[in-house]
């Protein structure tokens, strides 16, 4: 039975734009228009404010937890064009790194799979995507893809660490040769796939289906199956599911999951990649089913919808 | 501010015309007015003559009407009516439809004749297509441009015969008609709908767009991302068109509550204020066009048609034209004092049909004159961004003043700012402190001086100064309070004990730069996200907050829409049907109440807030002001709203959705993996699955138990019998099961099954399966091993002979397909080749194959099975079940990553060369000796990281139990030095 296990009153002074729990589900980070990021300990249904992170000078749009093998690290991005990486050391949270290389609001941050180390992708309204890699010893390596999306980039999401042309046998015992891939969505109505080749980021695929700004993209986690799946949602109210069975990753097919009456601004995959939560500006949740998938749960009274497959 | 006003030169009333559109022909002799029942032809030379009519029968209004632009075809005009365009020809006082263009499937929104080719016409429609017609062939359009979105305007470029521009909601697309498949350029020009589009008359690249978002923007389409210039208005702009003389622009606003039916003439060189207003129409101006200049005449004439059913012709003399050129501004300022009275005199135009009562007009003019000045002040008030903590600004545009009230710590400041009539044209406002200001008088003087300086700096350049002044005031007060009033500001800190006061952080001067934010997406105010393993975290807007826009309107896509939402969303078209009453109701609804609180929350209105009274007062305050001051209570109409904070942040709710997931934490805890007793493992796991209600998994475990039964364990001799794995209930059954669980993403069951069956049949060659034979790995080809699919790539023609009857036909066929890829398939010539190279002895080969065959898990899919285990391991890790994770990962065929942390190397104690491990690669001696027994160390050792001495662990432990100095006698206090 789906049940509410906790209700956290964040006491943010303005609207909340993102809420995310850490890897273990013990802490909750929220960010708001009041320019703060808050971290709560939510174990056992409690809510203890652990930290109130101030440093952004504009509304904070999104937060992202890094894998715990790197320590307790949280990234946040804001309207003030900054990306801040926060780290907990000896119980107190501090700025670990501040990136100011964007010329407009940074709309999305996403940490890469831990196999790649500490790597953060940031999408900004200046159209660029930055990739920040921690190289140890307080140093961050910055790679920037300029003009990744004309007008602006709204969302980034990493692909799971899998071997290209998956499951082709390879010498065992060696570290698998993972390829870094991520997906982005932008104001040019496109979903783009990026791949690192010889240390350079290249546009791998360009997926066209949306008729308005793409607001969010989500690469489904892999459970070991060779199919790659991406969800994208847009201002046009449509949610598309993109799948690719091709080991080379070149042929993507789109399937319209659902068309809402208003903007859809977030998609989120469950850990096993078989449930998709979709949320948007629409107050009505349309519960009609679409082929292959149907909204199975109306999770929130106002704006979320969950699809199972 | 419009310095001059003129009345029309000609007024003609057409009482029953009900015309919705108007057009002036290229000769300047006729204007056509299109009503529903008749088209009226007005002779512009003698407009009051009885007009001619062309009857029409349609239940649709005429959308757009336009004369052909070429003298040779000057008798032709096109009128759109719903989905159709009718081409009329007007000759000798008679007109009729000679052609109809039909092709659009929904209503036509705009049409435009080409400037270059007399027969070419472009039409745009809501049906998302833009058609270019050659009127000589009316059957179908010559070019169809597919825009995906419906177009509201379409206009030919005036300098380039191939180019045209169309507007789609807030976007503009530039098309080349030779390249019809896609737009040449795409500009996200506005945040709200574009009502008007106009190409520059002389520059091929420049165009102006007018929009619902209260602005006119000028673009060079070669730089689509940034407008060249912006004309910010207080109200949505209906149309903006270039004048035929240089540097001019005429705008018509979308009428708001306050009837603003004048047309404004602007100089594109100075967009701060209009240079002229054409005042006279009593209702919405529906269309305005320039009458082509007569030869020898220096005057231009503007022909306008309004819903007040009058057609007016306005003369624009060279003096007025000059106002638009560069030196016009100075002229204007000079002429201001002298010209004003003159412009008020009402010219009796000749031959006008109706002259309104002169008093009426004078009143009109008066009201415009009166509002002319506050217009800019009001504009400033509406655009000013003063979202500052503890500061409240009440603006009163009518009296040209505003009150700034601020309180910092124990101090209160009330400052009255009065704006002189000429403000901001080199006339600074005055500042005066009024009670109950509590700051010392020395400070008052200081602040007053700073404010005066600040304002003078601005107004010298004719710029607005309110916002800079208020910010100066705040920074002055703040820096002062920091110095002398520490305890008082401490009060803020107390309010939120966990956090430092906000004051300590740099303040954003501009929270939302509104117009620059066209490309920043509108923020999410609700969302849901899966977190951890079984949680769904979601946040929503507080229940008390509703969208201020009507629910039918979609959420805006970009952040700058916030500013657009402040001034309503009515277009003239909508207004026509709306009665006065509803209009007023709409405007006084709470929607617009907090129009100046520029935050995302302003898009939503709060239930508890009472509707503002319809006063002309503008109030700015931060909603989340803390602490709620007593002052507000008295000021803000005595409502209790201000001392009850409205929650702007909703709650974050965490839901347990683990029941929706195919994996179970309880199962993760209870599953066992005992390699020594697989039967027992399966039975225990079956019981665990039954306990959580997974009957299907329980049955699978029962099957697994049967399949791993000792009786079925394969014989090592390939010749005795076919191994169980080749039986349909062997490997095939298992594959079907795995396939099923991949479909439902049950990685838990997948990983457990893979682990159990791997444990049941460990690879004969030991671990890992192929790793010991590098030559093999080179010939293992890519396998078609994709789940979900029914292909079992190991079922090959050669080895299937004994079981083929049980395999379905499809499987069989697919097996054949992959034949030539399979090294074990006997039919492939490749296999012979490889086989002969790799295995000279056929018996070896047979044995190898038998080893493969007797395994229940398809060996070619090992990597995939490993992925299942890794993925499940990750989930176990999230659940905090680390031992269970280790249990599962033991069965992965890939070795874990080699250790990558710190490694200690040693220098060989004999040859001093660097060595790893216990034996030196160079001199082959054992590399180091125990500091105590002086025997070479092979086993466990301990070293001091400081001095590098050490030896056998047991010896070291003994030594340091009693001593704390190094046994080598180097004097190092090893116990203190090394922290390890």
């Amino acid at each position: 039975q789906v049940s509410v296990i906790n209700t956290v009153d964040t006491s943010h002074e303005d609207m909340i734009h993102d809420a995310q729990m850490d890897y273990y589900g013990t802490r909750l980070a929220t960010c708001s228009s009041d320019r703060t990021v808050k971290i709560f300990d939510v174990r056992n249904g409690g809510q203890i404010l652990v930290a109130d992170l101030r440093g952004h000078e504009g509304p904070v749009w999104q937060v992202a937890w890094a894998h715990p093998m790197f320590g307790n690290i949280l990234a946040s991005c804001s309207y003030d064009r900054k990306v801040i990486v926060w780290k907990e050391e000896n119980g107190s949270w501090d700025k670990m790194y501040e990136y100011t290389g964007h010329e407009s609001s940074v709309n999305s941050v996403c940490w890469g799979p831990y196999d790649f180390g500490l790597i953060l992708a940031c999408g900004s309204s200046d159209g660029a995507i930055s990739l920040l890699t921690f190289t140890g010893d307080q140093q961050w390596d910055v790679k920037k893809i300029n003009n990744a999306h004309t007008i602006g980039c709204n969302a980034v999401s990493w692909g799971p660490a899998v071997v290209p042309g998956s499951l082709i046998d390879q010498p065992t015992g060696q570290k698998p040769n993972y390829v870094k891939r991520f997906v982005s969505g932008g104001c040019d109505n496109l979903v783009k796939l990026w791949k690192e080749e010889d240390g350079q980021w290249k546009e791998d695929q360009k997926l066209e289906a949306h008729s308005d700004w793409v607001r969010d993209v989500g690469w489904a986690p892999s459970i070991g199956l060779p199919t790659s799946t991406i969800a994208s949602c847009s201002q046009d109210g449509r949610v598309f599911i993109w799948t690719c069975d091709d080991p080379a990753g070149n042929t993507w097919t789109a399937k319209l999951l659902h068309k809402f009456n208003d903007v859809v601004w977030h998609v989120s995959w469950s850990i096993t990649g078989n449930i998709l939560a979709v949320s948007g500006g629409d107050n009505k949740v349309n519960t009609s089913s679409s082929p292959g998938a149907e909204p199975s749960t109306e999770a929130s009274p106002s704006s979320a919808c969950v699809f199972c497959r | 501010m419009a310095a001059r006003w003129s009345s029309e030169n000609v007024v003609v009333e057409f009482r029953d015309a009900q015309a919705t559109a108007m057009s002036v022909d290229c000769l300047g002799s006729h204007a056509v007015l299109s009503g529903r029942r008749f088209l009226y032809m007005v002779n512009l030379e003698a407009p009051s003559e009885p007009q001619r009519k062309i009857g029409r029968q349609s239940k649709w209004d005429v959308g757009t009407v336009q004369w052909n632009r070429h003298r040779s075809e000057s008798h032709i005009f096109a009128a759109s009516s719903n989905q159709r365009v009718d081409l009329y020809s007007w000759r000798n006082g008679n007109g009729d439809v000679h052609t109809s263009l039909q092709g659009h499937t929904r209503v036509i929104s705009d049409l435009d004749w080409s400037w270059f080719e007399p027969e070419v016409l472009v039409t745009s429609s809501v049906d998302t297509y833009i058609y270019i017609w050659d009127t000589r062939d009316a059957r179908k359009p010559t070019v169809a441009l597919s825009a995906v979105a419906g177009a509201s305007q379409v206009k030919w470029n005036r300098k380039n015969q191939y180019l045209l521009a169309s507007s789609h909601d807030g976007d503009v697309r530039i098309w080349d008609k030779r390249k019809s498949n896609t737009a040449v350029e795409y500009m996200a020009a506005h945040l709200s709908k574009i009502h008007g589009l106009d190409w520059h008359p002389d520059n091929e690249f420049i165009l102006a767009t007018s929009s619902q978002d209260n602005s006119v923007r000028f673009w060079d389409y070669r730089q689509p991302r940034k407008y060249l210039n912006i004309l910010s208005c207080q109200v949505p702009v209906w149309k903006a068109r270039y004048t035929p003389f240089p540097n001019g622009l005429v705008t018509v606003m979308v009428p708001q509550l306050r009837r603003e039916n004048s047309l404004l003439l602007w100089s594109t060189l100075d967009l701060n204020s209009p240079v002229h207003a054409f005042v006279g129409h009593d209702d919405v101006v529906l269309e305005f066009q320039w009458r082509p200049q007569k030869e020898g005449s220096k005057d231009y004439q503007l022909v306008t048609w309004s819903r007040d059913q009058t057609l007016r012709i306005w003369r624009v003399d060279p003096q007025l034209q000059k106002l638009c050129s560069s030196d016009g501004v100075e002229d204007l300022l000079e002429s201001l004092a002298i010209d004003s009275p003159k412009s008020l005199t009402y010219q009796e135009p000749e031959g006008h049909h109706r002259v309104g009562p002169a008093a009426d007009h004078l009143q009109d003019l008066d009201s415009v004159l009166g509002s002319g000045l506050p217009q800019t002040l009001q504009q400033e008030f509406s655009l000013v961004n003063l979202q500052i903590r503890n500061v409240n600004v009440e603006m009163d545009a009518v009296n040209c003043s505003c009150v700034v009230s601020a309180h910092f710590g124990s101090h209160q400041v009330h400052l009255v700012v009065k704006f002189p009539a000429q403000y901001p044209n080199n006339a600074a406002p005055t500042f005066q402190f009024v009670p109950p200001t509590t700051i010392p008088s020395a400070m008052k003087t200081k602040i007053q001086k700073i404010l005066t300086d600040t304002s003078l700096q601005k107004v010298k350049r004719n710029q607005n100064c309110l916002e800079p002044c208020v910010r100066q005031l705040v920074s002055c007060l703040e820096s002062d309070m920091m110095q002398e009033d520490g305890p008082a500001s401490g009060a803020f800190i107390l309010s939120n004990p966990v956090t430092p006061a906000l004051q300590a952080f740099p303040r954003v001067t501009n929270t939302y730069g509104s117009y620059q934010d066209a490309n920043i997406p509108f923020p999410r105010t609700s969302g849901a996200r899966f977190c951890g393993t079984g949680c769904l975290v979601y946040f929503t807007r507080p229940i008390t907050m509703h969208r201020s826009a009507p629910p039918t309107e979609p959420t805006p896509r970009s952040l700058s829409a916030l500013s657009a939402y402040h001034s309503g969303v009515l277009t003239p078209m909508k207004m026509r049907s709306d009665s006065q009453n509803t209009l007023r109701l709409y405007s006084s609804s709470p929607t617009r109440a907090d129009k100046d609180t520029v935050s995302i929350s302003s898009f939503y209105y709060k239930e508890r807030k009472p509707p503002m009274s319809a006063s002309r007062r503008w109030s700015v305050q931060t909603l989340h002001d803390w602490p709620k001051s007593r002052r507000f209570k008295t000021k803000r109409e005595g409502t209790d709203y201000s001392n009850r904070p409205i929650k702007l942040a909703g709650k974050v709710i965490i839901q347990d959705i683990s029941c929706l997931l195919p994996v179970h934490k309880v199962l993760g805890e209870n599953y066992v993996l005992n390699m020594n007793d697989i039967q027992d493992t399966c039975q225990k796991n079956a019981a665990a699955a039954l306990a959580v209600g997974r009957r299907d998994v329980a049955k699978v475990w029962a099957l697994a138990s049967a399949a791993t039964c000792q009786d079925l364990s394969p014989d090592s001799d390939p010749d005795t019998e076919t191994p169980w794995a080749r039986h349909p209930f062997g490997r095939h059954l298992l594959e079907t099961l795995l396939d099923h669980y991949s479909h439902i993403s049950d990685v838990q069951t997948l990983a457990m099954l893979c682990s159990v069956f791997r444990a049941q049949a460990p690879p004969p060659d030991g671990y890992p399966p192929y790793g010991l034979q590098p030559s093999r790995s080179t010939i293992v080809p890519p396998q078609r091993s994709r789940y979900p699919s029914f292909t079992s790539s190991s079922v090959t023609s050669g080895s299937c002979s004994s079981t083929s009857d049980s395999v379905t036909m499809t499987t069989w066929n697919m097996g054949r397909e992959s034949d030539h890829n399979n090294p074990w398939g006997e039919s492939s010539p490749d296999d012979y080749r490889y086989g002969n190279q790799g295995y000279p002895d056929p018996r070896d080969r047979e044995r190898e194959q038998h080893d493969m065959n007797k395994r229940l898990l398809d060996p070619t899919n090992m990597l995939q099975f490993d992925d299942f285990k890794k993925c499940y391991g990750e989930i176990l890790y999230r659940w905090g079940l680390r031992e269970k994770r280790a249990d599962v990962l033991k069965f992965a065929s890939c070795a874990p990553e080699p250790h990558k942390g710190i490694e200690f190397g040693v220098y060989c104690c004999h040859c001093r060369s660097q060595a790893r491990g216990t034996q030196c690669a160079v001199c082959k001696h054992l590399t180091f000796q125990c500091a105590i027994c002086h025997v070479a160390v092979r086993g466990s050792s301990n070293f001091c990281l400081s001095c590098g001495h050490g030896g056998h662990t047991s010896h070291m432990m003994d030594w340091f139990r009693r001593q704390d100095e190094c046994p080598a006698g180097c004097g190092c206090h090893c116990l203190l030095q090394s922290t390890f």
Side-chain angles (χ1 to χ4, degrees), chain A residues 3 5-6 8 13-14 17 20 23 33 52 54 57 79 212 215 223 235 262 265-266 268 283 303, chain B residues 389 499 502 508 511 517 522 524 526 528-530 541 547 555 557 599-600 652 654 656 868 874:
Chain A
S3 57
I5 51 176
N6 204 339
V8 182
E13 292 166 13
D14 207 334
H17 300 307
Q20 198 176 121
Y23 183 85
S33 254
D52 186 343
R54 288 163 192 248
E57 295 162 43
Y79 176 82
D212 207 335
R215 285 303 306 265
I223 58 158
Q235 187 74 26
D262 199 354
W265 54 39
H266 195 51
S268 173
N283 273 332
S303 59
Chain B
R389 219 154 236 278
T499 65
L502 264 181
V508 200
T511 322
D517 295 341
F522 192 83
R524 302 168 182 143
S526 61
R529 191 192 278 276
F530 286 107
R541 302 183 284 274
R547 284 178 46 172
T555 309
R557 70 179 185 189
S599 160
I600 287 105
V652 177
I654 304 169
D656 181 11
F868 291 148
E874 194 75 359

Side-chain angles (χ1 to χ4, degrees), chain B residues 497-779:
Chain B
V498 199
T499 65
L502 264 181
Q503 266 80 1
F505 294 91
R507 167 165 289 118
V508 200
T509 45
N510 207 349
T511 322
Y512 296 105
S514 57
Y515 291 120
Q516 278 74 45
D517 295 341
N519 57 347
I520 298 178
F522 192 83
R524 302 168 182 143
T525 54
S526 61
R529 191 192 278 276
F530 286 107
C531 293
T533 41
C535 289
L536 180 70
V537 176
Y538 63 86
F539 59 97
T540 53
R541 302 183 284 274
I543 315 158
T544 48
M545 292 182 81
H546 300 280
R547 284 178 46 172
S548 55
T552 47
E553 192 137 322
T555 309
R557 70 179 185 189
S558 108
L559 189 57
S560 47
L562 285 177
S563 59
Y565 266 86
H566 291 162
S567 38
V569 284
L570 291 183
T571 66
M573 295 302 164
K574 278 184 190 163
M575 268 192 77
R576 266 180 236 176
S577 53
D578 284 340
S579 71
Q580 273 307 96
N581 239 346
T582 54
L583 274 179
R584 191 164 294 126
L585 217 147
Y586 187 87
S587 72
S588 62
S589 76
T591 331
R592 293 156 54 104
D594 52 307
K595 62 194 301 173
D596 292 294
T597 315
V598 185
S599 160
I600 287 105
S601 39
S602 32
F603 179 67
Y604 304 92
Y605 80 85
K606 296 102 205 162
E607 231 167 35
R608 249 188 288 165
K609 191 163 180 181
M612 283 253 283
S613 64
S615 73
R616 278 240 167 265
R617 220 158 236 207
W618 305 60
S619 175
V620 179
Q621 81 163 117
T622 48
L623 266 180
H624 38 270
D625 222 331
W626 197 93
K628 293 293 162 196
S629 73
R630 275 156 276 116
R631 239 168 358 90
F632 292 149
K633 212 196 242 165
T634 53
K635 277 278 173 190
R636 305 270 305 178
E637 289 124 24
T639 58
D640 59 350
Y641 140 74
S642 49
N643 45 6
R644 265 198 286 164
I646 301 278
K647 272 230 164 106
L648 292 174
K651 293 200 158 109
V652 177
I653 295 160
I654 304 169
Q655 265 190 350
D656 181 11
I657 49 98
S658 45
C659 63
L660 298 177
L661 294 177
V663 294
H664 298 261
K665 189 177 177 185
V666 180
L667 277 186
E669 281 164 0
N670 294 343
Y671 271 162
V672 290
L673 269 177
N674 182 359
M675 275 181 86
N676 302 323
D677 191 347
I678 295 190
Q679 289 289 301
D680 178 56
T681 302
C682 292
Q683 276 152 19
K684 278 185 178 155
N685 290 349
L690 211 53
V692 299
R694 284 293 297 266
R695 296 171 147 280
D696 61 322
V697 182
K699 280 182 185 152
V700 168
W701 282 116
L703 279 176
S705 160
T708 53
C709 177
Q710 282 300 319
D711 304 339
L712 295 175
S713 61
D715 203 296
S716 59
D717 184 354
D719 297 329
T720 47
E721 57 173 358
T722 313
W724 175 247
R726 312 301 300 166
H727 190 272
F729 285 168
R731 189 185 286 179
H732 182 64
L733 173 73
L734 184 58
E735 268 162 6
T736 315
L737 284 174
L738 293 179
D739 191 23
H740 171 73
Y741 285 105
S742 338
H743 259 120
I744 62 169
S745 302
D746 186 351
V747 69
Q748 186 168 35
T749 309
L750 287 173
M752 289 304 289
L753 284 177
C754 292
S755 302
V756 163
F757 283 103
R758 189 173 169 87
Q760 175 258 341
D765 302 333
Y767 173 85
Y770 317 127
L772 297 177
Q773 296 172 335
S775 63
R776 286 283 292 137
S777 67
T778 56
I779 59 157

Side-chain angles (χ1 to χ4, degrees), chain A residues 1-10 12-25 28 30 33-35 38 42 49 52 54-55 57-59 61-63 67-68 79 104-105 107 114 125-127 147 150-152 154-155 166-173 175-176 178 187 189 211-213 215-216 222-227 235 245 247 261-263 265-266 268-277 279-284 296-297 299-304 306 308-309, chain B residues 148 186 188 225 389 496 498-502 505-508 510-514 517-533 535-542 545 547 551 553-559 599-601 604 624 647-657 659-663 742-747 750 768 770-771 777 780-783 785-788 860 863-864 867-868 870-871 874-875 877-878 880 882 893-898 900:
Chain A
Q1 207 62 38
V2 173
S3 57
V4 173
I5 51 176
N6 204 339
T7 306
V8 182
D9 187 354
T10 58
H12 272 295
E13 292 166 13
D14 207 334
M15 295 192 122
I16 298 172
H17 300 307
D18 195 18
Q20 198 176 121
M21 283 206 285
D22 68 355
Y23 183 85
Y24 301 108
L28 173 75
T30 58
S33 254
D34 69 4
R35 317 200 290 257
K38 294 189 184 191
V42 292
L49 181 64
D52 186 343
R54 288 163 192 248
E57 295 162 43
W61 299 139
Q62 208 175 52
V63 289
H67 193 274
Y79 176 82
S104 185
S105 163
N107 304 318
Y114 66 87
S125 284
D126 65 7
N147 207 16
T150 327
I151 306 170
N154 297 336
S166 166
L167 313 184
I168 291 177
D169 193 26
Q170 55 180 352
T172 43
K175 194 181 175 195
Y178 294 131
C187 302
N189 309 352
S211 60
D212 207 335
W213 291 9
R215 285 303 306 265
D216 199 14
S222 160
I223 58 158
L225 299 174
T227 308
Q235 187 74 26
D245 294 326
N261 292 327
D262 199 354
V263 48
W265 54 39
H266 195 51
S268 173
W269 288 102
S270 75
I271 186 157
T272 45
N274 65 327
I275 313 180
L276 182 72
S279 49
D282 196 352
N283 273 332
K284 293 183 289 288
S296 68
T297 309
S300 113
S302 70
S303 59
V306 176
C308 285
R309 72 170 175 197
Chain B
V148 184
Y186 174 101
R225 301 191 48 185
R389 219 154 236 278
N496 210 343
V498 199
T499 65
L502 264 181
F505 294 91
R507 167 165 289 118
V508 200
N510 207 349
T511 322
Y512 296 105
S514 57
D517 295 341
N519 57 347
I520 298 178
F522 192 83
R524 302 168 182 143
T525 54
S526 61
R529 191 192 278 276
F530 286 107
C531 293
T533 41
C535 289
L536 180 70
V537 176
Y538 63 86
F539 59 97
T540 53
R541 302 183 284 274
M545 292 182 81
R547 284 178 46 172
E553 192 137 322
T555 309
R557 70 179 185 189
S558 108
L559 189 57
S599 160
I600 287 105
S601 39
Y604 304 92
H624 38 270
K647 272 230 164 106
L648 292 174
K651 293 200 158 109
V652 177
I653 295 160
I654 304 169
Q655 265 190 350
D656 181 11
I657 49 98
C659 63
L660 298 177
L661 294 177
V663 294
S742 338
H743 259 120
I744 62 169
S745 302
D746 186 351
V747 69
L750 287 173
Y770 317 127
S777 67
V780 175
Q783 292 295 325
S785 53
R786 200 164 306 136
Y787 282 92
T860 55
L863 274 171
Q864 174 160 30
D867 279 345
F868 291 148
K870 263 189 266 181
C871 182
E874 194 75 359
I875 292 174
Y877 197 69
R878 283 181 188 251
R882 283 172 221 172
S893 61
C894 285
E897 276 181 48
K900 276 202 307 196

